[in-house]
Amino acid sequence: AGACGSGGSNSSGTTTSAAKGLDFDASTFTEKTTTITTAGGASRKVAYRFYGPITYVAKSVDAKYQSLVISVPTSIDGKSVDARNAPIVFANSVGGYMPASVADSTGVGESQMTGMGGGTSSTATTSTSAAPSTSGTEVQSGGNSMLNGMGKMVSIPQLALAEGFVVVEPGARGRSLTNSSGDYYGTAPAAIIDLKAAVRYLRHNKDRIPGNTDRIVSTGTSAGGALSALLGASGDSDLYTAELTALGAADASDTIHAAGAWCPITDLEHADMAYEFCWGANPYTSTIDAAVTKDLAAQFTTYQKSLNLQGRNGFGPLTADTYHNYLLDQYLKPSAEKYLSGLSETDRTTYLKANPFLNYTGGKATFTWDGFVDHVGTRKKPAPAFDAFDLSLDINNLFGEGTQKARHITRYSQDHDTTGLEGRPLATDTTRRLNQMNPMHHIAEKNPHRAQHWWIRLGTKDSDTSLTIATNLAASLSALGDQVNHLMYWDQGHGSNDDPADFLTWVHELA
Ligand code: DHB
C-alpha cells in the first residue's frame, strides 16, 4: 500500500495508516526558555517544550499552512509545572481571512499571518510580549498581535503559556492562495476546515498530547475571531465531513469547550445590511451612495426581526427600532463608565472637555446614538462594506472559487454587479459555503455539540463591521443558555484586547 507516495489524494491509504501518520510523538521537542511580561506587567521566566511544526492532516494540500505547533510549560519562575491536564489554548493567528502559517515558528507566539498591507505580524521571539507602544488605537490583527489599552502588544499564546496552559498554534489556508493552475485553494471554507482538522488531530491524540483535550479554548481576532466563534459554534457538524475526509483529517471529534472571539468579522452575508444600520450615518473617505445605505438598512430591519432575539438583562426584543438603544444601554454607556472611572481626575476632566457629547455625572455616562456615531467619525468601509459591486473587497475573494478570484455573496450585490457577472448565479454552493462560514447558522440549528462558553470582545470605535454582529452572536448564544461574557472596550479600534488578564482568569475558571 505504501507505493503511492505521500500526499496522494486517492484512497489507497487505509484509515489505519492515515491515523497512524497522525499519531503525536511526545518524545520529539525542543527545550526552550523565554521571559514573558504578563498581562499584569510582571516578568515570568518560562521553560517549555516546543513541538512541531506538525502537519495535522494525512493528505495535506499545503503543509506550510496545515501544520501546528505546541508549547507545553515545564516550569515558571523556577517552579515546575505539570501541564498534563491543563486547558489547551488554541490560538489561531488568522487575519483578513489570509493564510496563516507556523511553518517557520521556533517558539511560542511566532505564528505568521500574511499581512493585509504591512501589518504587525508577530515575530517576537524570546524575551518579551511588551513590544514598543504605538500611538493609535488601531492594530492590524492576526499574527496573534493585538493592542491593549496602553498601546502594548498582546500575544495570547505567550500570555497563556505564562499562565501554565498548553498552547497550540494552528496554521490555516487563506483566501489569497493559488496553485500552479491558478486555482484558489484557500477560499471558503478552507480555513475552518483546517482549524477543525487541527482540533481533530489534538483529540485523536488525547492520550499522547499534553493538556486536556476536553478543555480546548479557541482564540482569534477579527477574521481569526470569526473563525474562533465558528469553530465553537460548529462542533462536530456534518456540514464539513466531505472536506475533512478529503484531507485525511483524523477521525475524531472537533468540538471545543470554549471560544474567545475578538472583533469577529462574521455573519458575512448579513454584514452589509448590518453595517449600514450601524455606521450608515458616518462619513467615509469618498462618497457613499445614500440609496445603497437606505436599501441595506431596510434589509437589516427584516433580517433583525427574523432572528427573534431578546436583549440581555430583560431589555426586551432586539429589533431595528430598539437596537441603538440596546447598544447604548447595555454596551456603550457601561463601557464609557468603566473607562472614565479608571481615569485620573485630571485625565477625566480633559477627556470630558474634549468630548462634550458625553455627560458624566455620579458615575453615570449619558449620550445619544447620534452623539456616539459622530464621536466615532469616519467609517472604515464603503457601501456595501463587504460584498462590493465590483468584487474588489476581501470577502469577495474569500468566496472565490476555481480560477475565479472573487464572487458575490449577496443577491443585492449580485444584482448591482458592475463586473459583467450579471445573470450568473452566485458562487456555486453559495448557501452551503456561507453556512459553513457562519456561526449564526449553527446557532440557529441549536447545534448541541457547540462550545457553551464564550468570550466576545470588541472596541466601540471598531467600524470594520457593525457592532450588531458580535452583539447578535452573543444574544443568540445566550438564548440557547450558553455562558456568554461580552463587552466592548471604550474608544478602542479594530483588533484591540484591553483585558487579556481577565480572559486568562476566565480560562482558569473554565478548567
Ligand atoms: C479583517 C478585517 C476586515 O475588515 C474584514 O473585512 C475581514 C477581515 C481582519 O482584520 O481580519
Side-chain angles (χ1 to χ4, degrees):
C4 284
S6 61
S9 57
N10 64 36
S11 55
S12 68
T14 63
T15 315
T16 323
S17 67
K20 207 171 190 184
L22 294 178
D23 286 356
F24 175 74
D25 174 10
S27 68
T28 305
F29 54 84
T30 320
E31 299 266 19
K32 314 276 291 183
T33 53
T34 185
T35 303
I36 293 171
T37 305
T38 66
S43 193
R44 284 194 193 149
K45 193 161 182 221
V46 183
Y48 67 105
R49 292 179 172 181
F50 184 74
Y51 295 88
I54 302 163
T55 302
Y56 52 67
V57 287
K59 302 173 195 168
S60 63
V61 170
D62 193 335
K64 178 172 178 196
Y65 302 104
Q66 294 170 312
S67 296
L68 55 74
V69 294
I70 306 179
S71 300
V72 182
T74 53
S75 81
I76 297 176
D77 286 341
K79 266 217 197 113
S80 72
V81 170
D82 180 357
R84 271 176 302 182
N85 211 33
I88 297 173
V89 173
F90 184 87
N92 85 66
S93 61
V94 174
Y97 286 104
M98 293 292 276
S101 177
V102 295
D104 297 326
S105 292
T106 59
V108 67
E110 294 177 17
S111 43
Q112 306 265 343
M113 53 82 81
T114 309
M116 299 197 306
T120 52
S121 71
S122 169
T123 49
T125 50
T126 49
S127 94
T128 176
S129 63
S133 54
T134 58
S135 50
T137 54
E138 196 73 14
V139 63
Q140 174 61 60
S141 55
N144 278 311
S145 303
M146 307 167 81
L147 290 186
N148 69 11
M150 318 296 282
K152 293 272 200 298
M153 293 310 280
V154 171
S155 163
I156 289 283
Q158 294 180 358
L159 296 177
L161 190 74
E163 287 299 316
F165 301 131
V166 171
V167 177
V168 173
E169 297 171 74
R173 289 168 295 165
R175 61 184 168 84
S176 62
L177 298 171
T178 54
N179 64 19
S180 54
S181 320
D183 284 323
Y184 283 83
Y185 66 90
T187 54
I192 186 62
I193 300 299
D194 288 351
L195 295 181
K196 282 176 168 292
V199 171
R200 286 176 176 226
Y201 174 86
L202 299 177
R203 290 188 156 254
H204 167 75
N205 286 296
K206 67 180 166 60
D207 296 328
R208 287 177 285 260
I209 246 164
N212 183 350
T213 55
D214 288 333
R215 289 292 179 274
I216 297 174
V217 182
S218 164
T219 66
T221 303
S222 195
L227 290 165
S228 181
L230 179 59
L231 194 64
S234 68
D236 281 351
S237 162
D238 60 13
L239 201 51
Y240 309 85
T241 308
E243 290 89 344
L244 287 163
T245 304
L247 286 175
D251 187 10
S253 170
D254 57 55
T255 60
I256 60 170
H257 186 65
W262 283 262
C263 49
I265 304 289
T266 194
D267 198 10
L268 298 170
E269 62 269 43
H270 303 111
D272 288 337
M273 50 182 92
Y275 199 94
E276 298 315 311
F277 172 78
C278 190
W279 307 121
N282 296 56
Y284 183 55
T285 49
S286 58
T287 309
I288 296 264
D289 184 344
V292 172
T293 293
K294 194 163 167 251
D295 288 350
L296 289 168
Q299 290 175 25
F300 177 79
T301 302
T302 310
Y303 171 60
Q304 189 60 40
K305 198 166 174 209
S306 76
L307 290 176
N308 202 17
L309 291 172
Q310 297 287 316
R312 68 184 183 190
N313 298 323
F315 180 85
L318 274 188
T319 66
D321 284 341
T322 65
Y323 219 129
H324 289 160
N325 278 333
Y326 182 59
L327 290 169
L328 286 168
D329 286 1
Q330 293 293 320
Y331 292 96
L332 300 172
K333 288 174 186 172
S335 168
E337 285 158 8
K338 185 174 176 201
Y339 171 80
L340 290 165
S341 70
L343 292 183
S344 69
E345 188 90 43
T346 318
D347 287 351
R348 188 159 54 236
T349 305
T350 307
Y351 184 91
L352 292 170
K353 209 166 197 175
N355 294 284
F357 80 95
L358 196 162
N359 183 287
Y360 185 68
T361 329
K364 288 283 161 200
T366 40
F367 49 92
T368 64
W369 176 259
D370 290 347
F372 167 70
V373 295
D374 183 59
H375 172 65
V376 171
T378 305
R379 57 189 264 173
K380 182 93 160 272
K381 294 190 166 176
F386 293 88
D387 187 345
F389 296 157
D390 66 359
L391 291 174
S392 60
L393 292 173
D394 49 6
I395 298 308
N396 296 118
N397 178 209
L398 178 62
F399 284 88
E401 56 180 278
T403 56
Q404 238 162 8
K405 179 180 178 182
R407 298 298 291 264
H408 290 298
I409 62 170
T410 69
R411 169 54 53 192
Y412 184 76
S413 289
Q414 177 78 10
D415 289 346
H416 290 78
D417 176 81
T418 58
T419 71
L421 284 176
E422 290 102 326
R424 250 193 245 186
L426 295 174
T428 320
D429 253 358
T430 304
T431 305
R432 178 166 184 268
R433 292 171 80 207
L434 288 171
N435 286 344
Q436 284 178 316
M437 294 303 287
N438 198 338
M440 298 298 279
H441 166 75
H442 300 280
I443 296 165
E445 303 246 295
K446 303 187 165 74
N447 176 19
H449 305 295
R450 70 184 183 280
Q452 293 180 15
H453 308 274
W454 301 85
W455 182 270
I456 302 171
R457 294 289 186 272
L458 71 158
T460 57
K461 281 193 168 174
D462 186 342
S463 67
D464 273 50
T465 194
S466 169
L467 297 179
T468 63
I469 296 288
T471 307
N472 277 341
L473 179 67
S476 56
L477 290 162
S478 292
L480 296 185
D482 292 2
Q483 180 204 357
V484 180
N485 188 319
H486 179 208
L487 59 76
M488 297 185 189
Y489 307 129
W490 184 250
D491 273 1
Q492 296 296 308
H494 190 57
S496 51
N497 183 349
D498 253 7
D499 56 357
D502 291 348
F503 172 69
L504 295 164
T505 301
W506 184 77
V507 178
H508 275 300
E509 286 164 0
L510 290 173

